[in-house]
Amino acid sequence: MFKTVALVGVTGAVGRLMRQLLEERPLAAETFRFLASARSAGKTLTFRGREYAVEPLTKESFQGVDLVLASTPDEVAAEYLPAAVEAGATVIDESGYFRMREGVPLVVPEVNPEAADIDRGIISSPNCSTTQMVLALKPLHDAARVRRVIVSTYQAVSGMGVQGTQELEESTAARLRGEEYRHAAFAHPIAFNCIPQIGREKEAGYTSEEMKMVYETRKILGDPSIQVCPTCVRIPVANCHSESIVVETERPVSPADARSLFEAFPGIKVVDDLPGGVYPMPNTCTGSDLVFVGRIREDISRPGGLSFWCVSDNLRKGAATNAVQIAELLARRRFGAK
Ligand SMILES: NC(=O)c1ccc[n+]([C@@H]2O[C@H](COP(=O)([O-])OP(=O)(O)OC[C@H]3O[C@@H](n4cnc5c(N)ncnc54)[C@H](OP(=O)(O)O)[C@@H]3O)[C@@H](O)[C@H]2O)c1
């Protein structure tokens, strides 16, 4: 088993869920430690029946730690996580900072588990909108080689962390009371709105969130020739990202074949009955660790093309669950854990 597992960013939206998942799942360690910013230092939390104080993160925090699960803003990851590696730990990082670095594995356990085979260093967990898409693309890619993807996302406010959720709730209530609300988490009011910008302008008129979907997809699927055209949109939904995905493959995939491929792949659940009004939606997918796929149909604008709808809990499979699954993968490899 691991000696000491440290959760960094434990007070955040992803960190809280990581702690909850580690309560529910059997990852074994002699000791757990919980870290966040100096703002949270000293707060107490209960974990597996014991009380712990949240510790402030410093570069000296990692002595004796062999596994770190980190979910902090990029700049915090950049400043502190190299010290964890220096101290001998393996770090599973939720931030975007290290993902595209040469030599840093970017891992979705159902898709590229072999990439996580390192003794120490940083393993990145992908951006939430990428994770659910690559998981859905993987069986299609294996069967028919994905050549081009056009994806439009409908992303929940919890993707912006605790502050995003708070802003949706408060601004919606303020709007219903007819009051002004000073928004801070998003560039525009999110209540009763949708915002076609996530992240900053990056290149060629695309945002940083959109370019993450391009580069991370290629890295995880190990195919730099895959073309991705993304549009990322923030919508006033509390939790779960939804995506409309159109795929061109080298060999045609019929909707029936796609359905069979999705059904056979671990981590995907097909929910698809248009006449019955049954398809994945944020309200029905929240709280699940799976990636849900529905509305599977032919792209009628292009023979052999495929179109589908994909929903997943961005805080779970898009973040905390994926990180914990990577930790479990390491535990199986290193200690033969179940
Ligand atoms: N939310 C998602 O759906 C999602 C999905 C995939 C990846 N991610 C990535 O995961 C990371 C965390 O996201 P989140 O949504 O959980 O954000 P969040 O709710 O804002 O939480 C941020 C966490 O980082 C801690 N932190 C901030 N500054 C710190 C500092 N100087 N030193 C130590 N700890 C510090 C915070 O501690 P305090 O509470 O003490 O401030 C908090 O625990 C981000 O990189 C994000 O891009 C998020």
Side-chain angles (χ1 to χ4, degrees):
M1 73 171 81
F2 291 106
K3 284 198 178 60
T4 302
V5 173
L7 258 69
V8 176
V10 69
T11 50
V14 176
R16 289 175 192 177
L17 199 51
M18 278 184 184
R19 174 162 68 96
Q20 184 192 320
L21 290 171
L22 289 179
E23 294 247 38
E24 295 164 4
R25 300 169 75 119
L27 189 84
E30 286 170 18
T31 319
F32 287 89
R33 288 174 51 199
F34 301 95
L35 301 100
S37 79
R39 294 178 290 276
S40 306
K43 284 184 184 166
T44 56
L45 55 83
T46 307
F47 178 76
R48 295 187 181 174
R50 250 196 72 186
E51 275 219 341
Y52 292 83
V54 175
E55 301 173 48
L57 177 64
T58 69
K59 287 181 184 162
E60 288 69 48
S61 296
F62 301 106
Q63 294 313 317
V65 173
D66 49 356
L67 181 70
V68 176
L69 294 167
S71 57
T72 67
D74 284 7
E75 64 279 9
V76 178
E79 184 173 352
Y80 294 97
L81 298 186
V85 177
E86 199 62 22
T90 303
V91 178
I92 301 167
D93 180 31
E94 278 299 332
S95 87
Y97 190 77
F98 298 100
R99 285 182 196 144
M100 291 312 299
R101 295 267 168 111
E102 186 85 28
V104 172
L106 183 60
V107 177
V108 177
E110 297 89 339
V111 177
N112 61 341
E114 67 291 343
D117 201 6
I118 59 169
D119 291 332
R120 72 181 243 194
I122 293 174
I123 298 173
S124 283
S125 183
N127 185 41
C128 39
S129 45
T130 309
T131 300
Q132 67 188 74
M133 184 174 81
V134 287
L135 216 147
L137 291 179
K138 173 68 174 167
L140 304 176
H141 191 55
D142 287 348
R145 274 180 69 86
V146 170
R147 297 288 82 220
R148 181 168 177 239
V149 182
I150 299 170
V151 53
S152 300
T153 71
Y154 305 69
Q155 294 184 222
V157 294
S158 62
M160 267 298 281
V162 171
Q163 204 196 357
T165 301
Q166 193 182 338
E167 188 154 313
L168 175 66
E169 289 172 357
E170 291 178 358
S171 63
T172 304
R175 173 77 180 263
L176 291 171
R177 288 194 304 265
E179 294 169 2
E180 285 290 307
Y181 184 85
R182 283 168 69 95
H183 57 88
F186 304 106
H188 302 277
I190 188 65
F192 304 97
N193 200 9
C194 76
I195 306 172
Q197 175 180 1
I198 302 181
R200 63 189 187 289
E201 189 191 353
K202 178 82 175 171
E203 60 187 85
Y206 287 78
T207 65
S208 51
E209 181 83 357
E210 289 160 353
M211 293 315 293
K212 284 176 191 174
M213 294 191 80
V214 177
Y215 295 131
E216 294 180 15
T217 297
R218 291 175 180 161
K219 180 164 177 175
I220 298 162
L221 292 178
D223 187 341
S225 68
I226 294 175
Q227 300 300 321
V228 182
C229 177
T231 305
C232 291
V233 182
R234 186 76 67 192
I235 59 163
V237 155
N239 194 39
C240 286
H241 293 347
S242 305
E243 298 179 351
S244 160
I245 300 175
V246 179
V247 191
E248 290 180 21
T249 44
E250 205 164 272
R251 293 175 289 285
V253 184
S254 71
D257 287 347
R259 188 187 177 106
S260 306
L261 291 167
F262 289 140
E263 280 173 343
F265 198 76
I268 298 180
K269 185 169 171 57
V270 175
V271 177
D272 196 16
D273 173 18
L274 182 60
V278 178
Y279 24 70
M281 295 182 287
N283 282 355
T284 50
C285 300
T286 191
S288 170
D289 291 320
L290 298 172
V291 169
F292 293 85
V293 169
R295 300 293 321 276
I296 304 165
R297 61 207 190 272
E298 192 183 353
D299 170 2
I300 51 170
S301 71
R302 189 179 174 277
L306 191 71
S307 182
F308 61 95
W309 176 247
C310 174
V311 182
S312 189
D313 186 325
N314 51 291
L315 291 177
R316 292 183 80 101
K317 185 57 189 166
T321 302
N322 198 61
V324 171
Q325 287 172 333
I326 296 170
E328 291 170 347
L329 186 63
L330 295 177
R332 282 197 296 277
R333 288 224 181 101
R334 292 182 189 177
F335 319 118
K338 285 198 181 139

